[in-house]
PDB file of all heavy atoms in Angstrom:
ATOM      1  N   CYS A   1       0.892  -1.221   0.024  1.00 97.00           N
ATOM      2  CA  CYS A   1       0.010  -0.014  -0.115  1.00 97.00           C
ATOM      3  C   CYS A   1       0.920   1.281   0.021  1.00 97.00           C
ATOM      4  O   CYS A   1       0.606   2.265  -0.689  1.00 97.00           O
ATOM      5  CB  CYS A   1      -0.991  -0.031   1.155  1.00 97.00           C
ATOM      6  SG  CYS A   1      -2.239  -1.225   1.195  1.00 97.00           S
ATOM      7  N   GLU A   2       1.872   1.248   0.826  1.00 98.00           N
ATOM      8  CA  GLU A   2       2.864   2.365   0.846  1.00 98.00           C
ATOM      9  C   GLU A   2       3.582   2.584  -0.527  1.00 98.00           C
ATOM     10  O   GLU A   2       3.813   3.695  -0.907  1.00 98.00           O
ATOM     11  CB  GLU A   2       3.778   2.301   2.008  1.00 98.00           C
ATOM     12  CG  GLU A   2       3.055   2.304   3.375  1.00 98.00           C
ATOM     13  CD  GLU A   2       3.954   2.649   4.515  1.00 98.00           C
ATOM     14  OE1 GLU A   2       5.203   2.943   4.241  1.00 98.00           O
ATOM     15  OE2 GLU A   2       3.485   2.684   5.690  1.00 98.00           O
ATOM     16  N   LEU A   3       3.926   1.487  -1.128  1.00 98.00           N
ATOM     17  CA  LEU A   3       4.528   1.674  -2.472  1.00 98.00           C
ATOM     18  C   LEU A   3       3.703   2.326  -3.511  1.00 98.00           C
ATOM     19  O   LEU A   3       4.084   2.955  -4.316  1.00 98.00           O
ATOM     20  CB  LEU A   3       5.107   0.338  -2.940  1.00 98.00           C
ATOM     21  CG  LEU A   3       6.185  -0.414  -2.219  1.00 98.00           C
ATOM     22  CD1 LEU A   3       6.600  -1.801  -2.929  1.00 98.00           C
ATOM     23  CD2 LEU A   3       7.380   0.447  -1.985  1.00 98.00           C
ATOM     24  N   GLN A   4       2.452   1.930  -3.427  1.00 97.00           N
ATOM     25  CA  GLN A   4       1.377   2.524  -4.386  1.00 97.00           C
ATOM     26  C   GLN A   4       1.252   4.018  -4.296  1.00 97.00           C
ATOM     27  O   GLN A   4       0.812   4.669  -5.226  1.00 97.00           O
ATOM     28  CB  GLN A   4      -0.046   1.834  -4.150  1.00 97.00           C
ATOM     29  CG  GLN A   4      -0.117   0.341  -4.495  1.00 97.00           C
ATOM     30  CD  GLN A   4      -1.411  -0.158  -4.178  1.00 97.00           C
ATOM     31  OE1 GLN A   4      -1.929  -0.135  -3.045  1.00 97.00           O
ATOM     32  NE2 GLN A   4      -2.126  -0.766  -5.113  1.00 97.00           N
ATOM     33  N   ASP A   5       1.589   4.533  -3.075  1.00 96.00           N
ATOM     34  CA  ASP A   5       1.464   5.968  -2.908  1.00 96.00           C
ATOM     35  C   ASP A   5       2.669   6.780  -3.507  1.00 96.00           C
ATOM     36  O   ASP A   5       2.633   8.022  -3.611  1.00 96.00           O
ATOM     37  CB  ASP A   5       1.370   6.340  -1.418  1.00 96.00           C
ATOM     38  CG  ASP A   5      -0.011   5.875  -0.826  1.00 96.00           C
ATOM     39  OD1 ASP A   5      -0.998   5.714  -1.665  1.00 96.00           O
ATOM     40  OD2 ASP A   5      -0.054   5.639   0.239  1.00 96.00           O
ATOM     41  N   ALA A   6       3.595   6.121  -3.991  1.00 95.00           N
ATOM     42  CA  ALA A   6       4.918   6.778  -4.430  1.00 95.00           C
ATOM     43  C   ALA A   6       4.779   7.250  -5.911  1.00 95.00           C
ATOM     44  O   ALA A   6       3.959   6.649  -6.680  1.00 95.00           O
ATOM     45  CB  ALA A   6       6.047   5.898  -4.305  1.00 95.00           C
ATOM     46  N   ASP A   7       5.522   8.247  -6.355  1.00 92.00           N
ATOM     47  CA  ASP A   7       5.618   8.586  -7.713  1.00 92.00           C
ATOM     48  C   ASP A   7       6.204   7.403  -8.512  1.00 92.00           C
ATOM     49  O   ASP A   7       5.757   7.112  -9.622  1.00 92.00           O
ATOM     50  CB  ASP A   7       6.653   9.715  -7.925  1.00 92.00           C
ATOM     51  CG  ASP A   7       6.173  11.039  -7.431  1.00 92.00           C
ATOM     52  OD1 ASP A   7       4.853  11.260  -7.131  1.00 92.00           O
ATOM     53  OD2 ASP A   7       6.999  11.947  -7.047  1.00 92.00           O
ATOM     54  N   CYS A   8       7.149   6.680  -7.906  1.00 94.00           N
ATOM     55  CA  CYS A   8       7.795   5.502  -8.522  1.00 94.00           C
ATOM     56  C   CYS A   8       7.938   4.437  -7.434  1.00 94.00           C
ATOM     57  O   CYS A   8       8.911   4.487  -6.787  1.00 94.00           O
ATOM     58  CB  CYS A   8       9.062   5.913  -9.163  1.00 94.00           C
ATOM     59  SG  CYS A   8       9.903   4.537 -10.146  1.00 94.00           S
ATOM     60  N   GLY A   9       6.989   3.534  -7.329  1.00 96.00           N
ATOM     61  CA  GLY A   9       7.043   2.525  -6.375  1.00 96.00           C
ATOM     62  C   GLY A   9       7.262   1.130  -7.108  1.00 96.00           C
ATOM     63  O   GLY A   9       6.519   0.935  -8.159  1.00 96.00           O
ATOM     64  N   PHE A  10       8.135   0.338  -6.629  1.00 97.00           N
ATOM     65  CA  PHE A  10       8.316  -0.960  -7.309  1.00 97.00           C
ATOM     66  C   PHE A  10       8.982  -2.059  -6.451  1.00 97.00           C
ATOM     67  O   PHE A  10       9.488  -1.795  -5.302  1.00 97.00           O
ATOM     68  CB  PHE A  10       9.247  -0.701  -8.676  1.00 97.00           C
ATOM     69  CG  PHE A  10      10.576  -0.148  -8.368  1.00 97.00           C
ATOM     70  CD1 PHE A  10      11.767  -1.004  -8.143  1.00 97.00           C
ATOM     71  CD2 PHE A  10      10.845   1.244  -8.206  1.00 97.00           C
ATOM     72  CE1 PHE A  10      12.967  -0.439  -7.885  1.00 97.00           C
ATOM     73  CE2 PHE A  10      11.911   1.793  -7.904  1.00 97.00           C
ATOM     74  CZ  PHE A  10      13.059   0.975  -7.757  1.00 97.00           C
ATOM     75  N   LEU A  11       9.088  -3.265  -6.864  1.00 97.00           N
ATOM     76  CA  LEU A  11       9.742  -4.399  -6.122  1.00 97.00           C
ATOM     77  C   LEU A  11      10.864  -4.862  -7.043  1.00 97.00           C
ATOM     78  O   LEU A  11      10.596  -4.961  -8.281  1.00 97.00           O
ATOM     79  CB  LEU A  11       8.767  -5.435  -5.816  1.00 97.00           C
ATOM     80  CG  LEU A  11       7.610  -5.192  -4.919  1.00 97.00           C
ATOM     81  CD1 LEU A  11       6.434  -4.580  -5.459  1.00 97.00           C
ATOM     82  CD2 LEU A  11       7.129  -6.488  -4.153  1.00 97.00           C
ATOM     83  N   CYS A  12      11.907  -5.223  -6.416  1.00 96.00           N
ATOM     84  CA  CYS A  12      12.955  -5.832  -7.223  1.00 96.00           C
ATOM     85  C   CYS A  12      12.805  -7.418  -7.252  1.00 96.00           C
ATOM     86  O   CYS A  12      12.673  -7.960  -6.234  1.00 96.00           O
ATOM     87  CB  CYS A  12      14.344  -5.552  -6.656  1.00 96.00           C
ATOM     88  SG  CYS A  12      14.693  -3.757  -6.731  1.00 96.00           S
ATOM     89  N   TYR A  13      12.794  -8.023  -8.461  1.00 93.00           N
ATOM     90  CA  TYR A  13      12.420  -9.370  -8.590  1.00 93.00           C
ATOM     91  C   TYR A  13      13.256 -10.066  -9.815  1.00 93.00           C
ATOM     92  O   TYR A  13      13.285  -9.500 -10.876  1.00 93.00           O
ATOM     93  CB  TYR A  13      10.930  -9.403  -9.015  1.00 93.00           C
ATOM     94  CG  TYR A  13      10.266 -10.779  -8.948  1.00 93.00           C
ATOM     95  CD1 TYR A  13      10.334 -11.648  -7.913  1.00 93.00           C
ATOM     96  CD2 TYR A  13       9.607 -11.187 -10.140  1.00 93.00           C
ATOM     97  CE1 TYR A  13       9.711 -12.839  -7.982  1.00 93.00           C
ATOM     98  CE2 TYR A  13       8.917 -12.435 -10.248  1.00 93.00           C
ATOM     99  CZ  TYR A  13       9.012 -13.313  -9.088  1.00 93.00           C
ATOM    100  OH  TYR A  13       8.400 -14.472  -9.081  1.00 93.00           O
ATOM    101  N   GLU A  14      13.814 -11.155  -9.472  1.00 87.00           N
ATOM    102  CA  GLU A  14      14.785 -11.663 -10.445  1.00 87.00           C
ATOM    103  C   GLU A  14      14.134 -12.604 -11.400  1.00 87.00           C
ATOM    104  O   GLU A  14      14.673 -12.880 -12.389  1.00 87.00           O
ATOM    105  CB  GLU A  14      15.877 -12.469  -9.631  1.00 87.00           C
ATOM    106  CG  GLU A  14      15.448 -13.769  -9.004  1.00 87.00           C
ATOM    107  CD  GLU A  14      14.854 -13.497  -7.619  1.00 87.00           C
ATOM    108  OE1 GLU A  14      14.667 -12.415  -7.256  1.00 87.00           O
ATOM    109  OE2 GLU A  14      14.643 -14.515  -6.834  1.00 87.00           O
ATOM    110  N   ALA A  15      12.917 -13.119 -11.077  1.00 84.00           N
ATOM    111  CA  ALA A  15      12.281 -14.065 -11.976  1.00 84.00           C
ATOM    112  C   ALA A  15      11.369 -13.260 -12.925  1.00 84.00           C
ATOM    113  O   ALA A  15      11.015 -12.092 -12.843  1.00 84.00           O
ATOM    114  CB  ALA A  15      11.411 -15.030 -11.233  1.00 84.00           C
ATOM    115  N   GLU A  16      10.884 -13.987 -14.049  1.00 81.00           N
ATOM    116  CA  GLU A  16       9.963 -13.402 -14.967  1.00 81.00           C
ATOM    117  C   GLU A  16       8.623 -13.508 -14.395  1.00 81.00           C
ATOM    118  O   GLU A  16       8.302 -14.352 -13.635  1.00 81.00           O
ATOM    119  CB  GLU A  16      10.075 -14.186 -16.261  1.00 81.00           C
ATOM    120  CG  GLU A  16      11.432 -14.028 -17.088  1.00 81.00           C
ATOM    121  CD  GLU A  16      11.608 -12.719 -17.699  1.00 81.00           C
ATOM    122  OE1 GLU A  16      10.646 -11.824 -17.667  1.00 81.00           O
ATOM    123  OE2 GLU A  16      12.565 -12.405 -18.278  1.00 81.00           O
ATOM    124  N   PRO A  17       7.708 -12.507 -14.781  1.00 80.00           N
ATOM    125  CA  PRO A  17       7.976 -11.467 -15.591  1.00 80.00           C
ATOM    126  C   PRO A  17       8.553 -10.216 -14.962  1.00 80.00           C
ATOM    127  O   PRO A  17       8.129  -9.998 -13.711  1.00 80.00           O
ATOM    128  CB  PRO A  17       6.576 -11.090 -16.223  1.00 80.00           C
ATOM    129  CG  PRO A  17       5.574 -11.494 -15.041  1.00 80.00           C
ATOM    130  CD  PRO A  17       6.296 -12.662 -14.400  1.00 80.00           C
ATOM    131  N   HIS A  18       9.323  -9.571 -15.569  1.00 88.00           N
ATOM    132  CA  HIS A  18       9.889  -8.301 -14.833  1.00 88.00           C
ATOM    133  C   HIS A  18      10.313  -7.303 -16.075  1.00 88.00           C
ATOM    134  O   HIS A  18      10.308  -7.705 -17.223  1.00 88.00           O
ATOM    135  CB  HIS A  18      11.099  -8.556 -13.976  1.00 88.00           C
ATOM    136  CG  HIS A  18      12.235  -9.183 -14.613  1.00 88.00           C
ATOM    137  ND1 HIS A  18      12.964 -10.230 -13.910  1.00 88.00           N
ATOM    138  CD2 HIS A  18      12.791  -9.241 -15.819  1.00 88.00           C
ATOM    139  CE1 HIS A  18      13.902 -10.621 -14.656  1.00 88.00           C
ATOM    140  NE2 HIS A  18      13.835 -10.117 -15.880  1.00 88.00           N
ATOM    141  N   ILE A  19      10.562  -6.089 -15.709  1.00 93.00           N
ATOM    142  CA  ILE A  19      11.029  -5.071 -16.689  1.00 93.00           C
ATOM    143  C   ILE A  19      12.370  -4.370 -16.181  1.00 93.00           C
ATOM    144  O   ILE A  19      12.648  -4.457 -14.919  1.00 93.00           O
ATOM    145  CB  ILE A  19       9.945  -3.933 -16.821  1.00 93.00           C
ATOM    146  CG1 ILE A  19       9.781  -3.089 -15.484  1.00 93.00           C
ATOM    147  CG2 ILE A  19       8.605  -4.441 -17.326  1.00 93.00           C
ATOM    148  CD1 ILE A  19       8.886  -1.948 -15.679  1.00 93.00           C
ATOM    149  N   PRO A  20      13.172  -3.949 -17.119  1.00 93.00           N
ATOM    150  CA  PRO A  20      14.395  -3.343 -16.769  1.00 93.00           C
ATOM    151  C   PRO A  20      14.249  -2.015 -15.874  1.00 93.00           C
ATOM    152  O   PRO A  20      13.258  -1.339 -16.150  1.00 93.00           O
ATOM    153  CB  PRO A  20      15.154  -2.951 -17.939  1.00 93.00           C
ATOM    154  CG  PRO A  20      14.397  -3.882 -19.040  1.00 93.00           C
ATOM    155  CD  PRO A  20      12.918  -4.118 -18.577  1.00 93.00           C
ATOM    156  N   MET A  21      15.035  -1.898 -14.912  1.00 93.00           N
ATOM    157  CA  MET A  21      14.924  -0.601 -14.048  1.00 93.00           C
ATOM    158  C   MET A  21      14.995   0.631 -14.877  1.00 93.00           C
ATOM    159  O   MET A  21      14.239   1.576 -14.662  1.00 93.00           O
ATOM    160  CB  MET A  21      16.052  -0.616 -12.981  1.00 93.00           C
ATOM    161  CG  MET A  21      15.950   0.404 -12.014  1.00 93.00           C
ATOM    162  SD  MET A  21      16.877   0.093 -10.427  1.00 93.00           S
ATOM    163  CE  MET A  21      18.395  -0.288 -11.206  1.00 93.00           C
ATOM    164  N   LYS A  22      15.798   0.681 -15.868  1.00 91.00           N
ATOM    165  CA  LYS A  22      15.925   1.925 -16.681  1.00 91.00           C
ATOM    166  C   LYS A  22      14.568   2.232 -17.403  1.00 91.00           C
ATOM    167  O   LYS A  22      14.217   3.308 -17.566  1.00 91.00           O
ATOM    168  CB  LYS A  22      17.110   1.777 -17.713  1.00 91.00           C
ATOM    169  CG  LYS A  22      17.288   2.933 -18.629  1.00 91.00           C
ATOM    170  CD  LYS A  22      18.383   2.750 -19.608  1.00 91.00           C
ATOM    171  CE  LYS A  22      18.569   3.953 -20.465  1.00 91.00           C
ATOM    172  NZ  LYS A  22      19.720   3.791 -21.518  1.00 91.00           N
ATOM    173  N   THR A  23      13.873   1.087 -17.848  1.00 92.00           N
ATOM    174  CA  THR A  23      12.662   1.295 -18.575  1.00 92.00           C
ATOM    175  C   THR A  23      11.631   1.934 -17.633  1.00 92.00           C
ATOM    176  O   THR A  23      10.892   2.924 -17.967  1.00 92.00           O
ATOM    177  CB  THR A  23      12.221  -0.120 -19.069  1.00 92.00           C
ATOM    178  OG1 THR A  23      13.061  -0.472 -20.035  1.00 92.00           O
ATOM    179  CG2 THR A  23      10.725   0.053 -19.712  1.00 92.00           C
ATOM    180  N   LEU A  24      11.594   1.387 -16.368  1.00 92.00           N
ATOM    181  CA  LEU A  24      10.684   1.914 -15.403  1.00 92.00           C
ATOM    182  C   LEU A  24      10.909   3.416 -15.195  1.00 92.00           C
ATOM    183  O   LEU A  24       9.991   4.238 -15.113  1.00 92.00           O
ATOM    184  CB  LEU A  24      10.718   1.131 -14.109  1.00 92.00           C
ATOM    185  CG  LEU A  24       9.857   1.707 -12.940  1.00 92.00           C
ATOM    186  CD1 LEU A  24       8.400   1.612 -13.183  1.00 92.00           C
ATOM    187  CD2 LEU A  24      10.267   0.994 -11.580  1.00 92.00           C
TER     188      LEU A  24
END
């Protein structure tokens, strides 16, 4: 819930599916 309130909130995850940090 706290991550949802951010301009840019995310989780770091090594498995698929994921997106590159630069793209986000």
Side-chain angles (χ1 to χ4, degrees):
C1 294
E2 296 199 1
L3 292 185
Q4 287 177 307
D5 292 334
D7 294 340
C8 184
F10 59 97
L11 295 82
C12 296
Y13 188 56
E14 70 276 10
E16 294 287 354
H18 56 214
I19 63 172
M21 186 161 51
K22 181 179 179 180
T23 299
L24 174 68

